[in-house]
Amino acid sequence: MTFTIQNVLIATNEDYATLDVQVVDGKIAAIASNLDVIGTAVDGSNKLLLPGFINAHTHSSEMWQRGIMSIFPLELWLAELYDFAPLDLEKVYLSALGTAVETLLSGGSSVVDHLVLTPGQELETIATAVRAYREVGIRAFIAPLIQDESLTAGIPSGGLVQNNEPYFRSTAATLEIIESAVKQFHHPEAGISILVAPTGIQLCSDALFTGCIELSDRYDLCRHSHLLETKAQEKLAQEKYGCTAVEHLQRIGYLSDRTSLAHCVWLTDADIKILAQTQSTVVHNPLSNLRLGSGIAPILKYLQSGVNVTFGCDGASSNDSQDLLEAIKIGSILHNTTDSDYQNWITPRKSVEMASLGGAKGLNIADKIGSLTVGKQADLVMYDLTNLSLLPRTDPIGLLVLGRPTNVVHSAWVNGKQIVTKNQINTIDVDNLRQELMNRSQWETKRKSQTVAQIETHYRQVMDL
């Protein structure tokens, strides 16, 4: 946990400098040229050092269904997903390992896992993910995904009478599970944090949201949720509340400087002002928004309004990958099509700041990680600038963000502990993980979801399709 990186390239305000970085007891102790070597010497020649990125929204267990999900919008896609969701704790474990590994090897040192819970084994599901993340050594923010309304409640009624099945678990029982998880697993100093994380306004009652607010305040927890991912959710909010979802969440007190909100595709200008006022964070998930046809979030408007924005991969069956560099690239250049004034576009340096410091702000730990700053914890990623996909030499951050970098993470440290060396994970046997994922799956083609068959006609009707 004590080492000195020598002669590594670091971004300065306008340029780069070749410097040394001392890390002592897991924290950045000094950044300067010609520092004395303390602890292990690490050769940083021809390498770029950046703060670790944060994969600020994903669902690890979705890994088991990547590549096979039908080409559906979210509401139908979810129905199919849950018809075929894995219930096996060993699969929960393996997909959390896989999510951590893919995040680390694409520049991430932290992951926010909006973890789908196995019914009847909720605490065991959380414990299993905790075990996986501890073994790999990534910094993990586990946000158990909770709801208290059944799937069909998430589709607008369109004025028709809807008889939604009651949810199988009460609101009070759900909140008890989250409180138990906090007491058992919330150890931020050890790299594992629990978040309160109602899935979103579409499947959650106000009682669940306010219960989460109370837990968040009592235990000093961050808050997470999906927000207005689809046009259907925008319609549903008007049906449920007679106002926008953002106005309603502000009214009940869910928005704050420790609240991160995934997607935020369908917001009004007034909504954007509310997010800025409450200092809430938007997690941009461009790949799943494209994959599910949800729309393009107005990210440039958010940035111009002073809203903090960061990036997420989203789950690996709505993105079909956990490549954080890919999400950052698409999530940056996509918006060049939404505003003709190129002076508003996201530069590579801005996107790197959004992915690191922006993610840390959303988790209320910008004082601890997110930048190369003396005194912060050493969550660091070092990229190999001799890699073919980062050559020839031009602007290193431009190459990293705008290119198609492959296998470029040379080293990664979390809290000063080296997790990746020469593009290899040190902490677990990745070959064994690959074999387990292979053994527990099979080649599949199209499947038929019974739930989709039941709800598709109504969905098409209310969405005027």
Side-chain angles (χ1 to χ4, degrees):
M1 301 260 283
T2 297
F3 56 94
T4 306
I5 305 173
Q6 296 181 289
N7 302 314
V8 73
L9 212 59
I10 287 177
T12 58
N13 283 341
E14 298 295 330
D15 200 3
Y16 296 90
T18 300
L19 298 169
D20 300 342
V21 178
Q22 286 178 348
V23 174
V24 177
D25 295 332
K27 290 187 176 178
I28 300 171
I31 302 174
S33 52
N34 301 314
L35 290 172
D36 293 334
V37 173
I38 299 177
T40 309
V42 177
D43 183 8
S45 307
N46 296 315
K47 297 181 183 72
L48 172 69
L49 189 69
L50 291 175
F53 301 143
I54 292 163
N55 185 357
H57 177 72
T58 191
H59 309 278
S60 59
S61 62
E62 283 185 19
M63 180 175 283
W64 292 99
Q65 298 201 59
R66 66 176 169 191
I68 193 171
M69 293 294 296
S70 299
I71 305 301
F72 278 147
L74 175 78
E75 287 72 23
L76 301 180
W77 174 92
L78 268 177
E80 180 182 319
L81 181 79
Y82 283 108
D83 273 358
F84 298 101
L87 302 175
D88 174 345
L89 290 177
E90 187 62 20
K91 283 189 168 182
V92 170
Y93 170 69
L94 293 169
S95 51
L97 289 180
T99 297
V101 168
E102 290 190 350
T103 295
L104 282 159
L105 294 180
S106 58
S109 56
S110 296
V111 62
V112 178
D113 188 355
H114 207 179
L115 182 68
V116 178
L117 303 178
T118 303
Q121 293 185 296
E122 293 87 356
L123 286 170
E124 293 88 342
T125 306
I126 297 166
T128 300
V130 167
R131 175 164 68 97
Y133 291 133
R134 278 196 174 133
E135 284 178 16
V136 176
I138 198 168
R139 196 180 293 278
F141 299 83
I142 296 175
L145 187 149
I146 52 174
Q147 65 192 74
D148 59 355
E149 294 173 3
S150 57
L151 192 67
T152 52
I155 299 176
S157 71
L160 303 172
V161 175
Q162 288 280 87
N163 291 314
N164 300 313
E165 291 285 318
Y167 196 61
F168 75 92
R169 188 177 57 230
S170 73
T171 305
T174 298
L175 291 167
E176 281 176 24
I177 288 166
I178 301 306
E179 185 166 15
S180 295
V182 173
K183 289 175 177 175
Q184 289 180 51
F185 306 117
H186 184 61
H187 301 294
E189 70 292 340
I192 302 286
S193 300
I194 301 293
L195 280 62
V196 296
T199 186
I201 61 104
Q202 67 278 11
L203 294 173
C204 298
S205 69
D206 281 359
L208 188 60
F209 273 107
T210 53
C212 285
I213 292 166
E214 195 275 325
L215 286 173
S216 163
D217 290 345
R218 183 156 24 119
Y219 293 104
D220 193 25
L221 309 173
C222 287
R223 308 168 185 178
H224 191 63
S225 187
H226 298 105
L227 179 64
L228 293 172
E229 185 173 353
T230 65
K231 185 73 175 170
Q233 290 173 10
E234 181 191 46
K235 286 178 179 257
L236 183 69
Q238 287 294 337
E239 282 185 5
K240 281 179 84 164
Y241 311 125
C243 64
T244 71
V246 174
E247 288 169 335
H248 186 73
L249 290 179
Q250 183 191 31
R251 196 175 296 153
I252 64 174
Y254 194 74
L255 305 179
S256 76
D257 61 357
R258 51 192 168 132
T259 302
S260 58
L261 303 159
H263 304 297
C264 298
V265 177
W266 294 93
L267 272 65
T268 66
D269 288 348
D271 290 338
I272 295 171
K273 284 182 183 169
I274 291 171
L275 293 191
Q277 288 162 5
T278 56
Q279 297 181 283
S280 302
T281 290
V282 169
V283 183
H284 184 29
N285 301 275
L287 289 154
S288 63
N289 293 162
L290 292 169
R291 161 84 153 92
L292 302 177
S294 301
I296 298 176
I299 297 302
L300 300 183
K301 279 188 178 181
Y302 293 138
L303 294 173
Q304 288 160 31
S305 300
V307 176
N308 183 47
V309 180
T310 190
F311 298 100
C313 288
D314 208 354
S317 61
S318 64
N319 168 340
D320 305 86
S321 158
Q322 291 294 290
D323 188 327
L324 199 45
L325 285 168
E326 182 185 42
I328 293 166
K329 174 179 179 174
I330 299 296
S332 301
I333 64 174
L334 177 63
H335 305 286
N336 298 3
T337 66
T338 66
D339 186 340
S340 58
D341 188 346
Y342 51 88
Q343 292 185 349
N344 295 328
W345 296 354
I346 300 169
T347 65
R349 285 195 175 217
K350 176 63 177 174
S351 60
V352 162
E353 183 188 349
M354 289 162 65
S356 48
L357 191 60
K361 283 178 182 172
L363 295 163
N364 207 30
I365 50 168
D367 59 329
K368 295 186 173 66
I369 64 170
S371 63
L372 299 183
T373 305
V374 171
K376 286 195 177 184
Q377 292 168 4
D379 286 18
L380 310 172
V381 177
M382 191 163 72
Y383 298 89
D384 180 3
L385 298 176
T386 69
N387 183 287
L388 185 60
S389 61
L390 296 180
L391 286 170
R393 289 191 286 173
T394 57
D395 178 348
I397 289 177
L399 289 163
L400 190 70
V401 172
L402 298 174
R404 184 66 179 89
T406 53
N407 303 319
V408 293
V409 173
H410 181 279
S411 302
W413 296 264
V414 177
N415 202 22
K417 179 184 177 185
Q418 190 158 8
I419 311 294
V420 180
T421 306
K422 294 183 180 175
N423 200 242
Q424 300 294 316
I425 300 286
N426 300 333
T427 45
I428 65 162
D429 184 341
V430 176
D431 286 339
N432 183 62
L433 171 63
R434 289 192 299 115
Q435 193 61 54
E436 285 292 320
L437 290 168
M438 191 84 187
N439 292 346
R440 289 173 178 272
S441 56
Q442 60 283 316
W443 305 121
E444 290 190 69
T445 53
K446 286 286 181 193
R447 312 169 296 187
K448 284 292 179 192
S449 161
Q450 290 184 333
T451 310
V452 170
Q454 291 162 11
I455 67 175
E456 187 171 12
T457 301
H458 172 71
Y459 175 84
R460 291 184 65 82
Q461 187 176 351
V462 297
M463 297 308 293
D464 299 320
L465 297 174

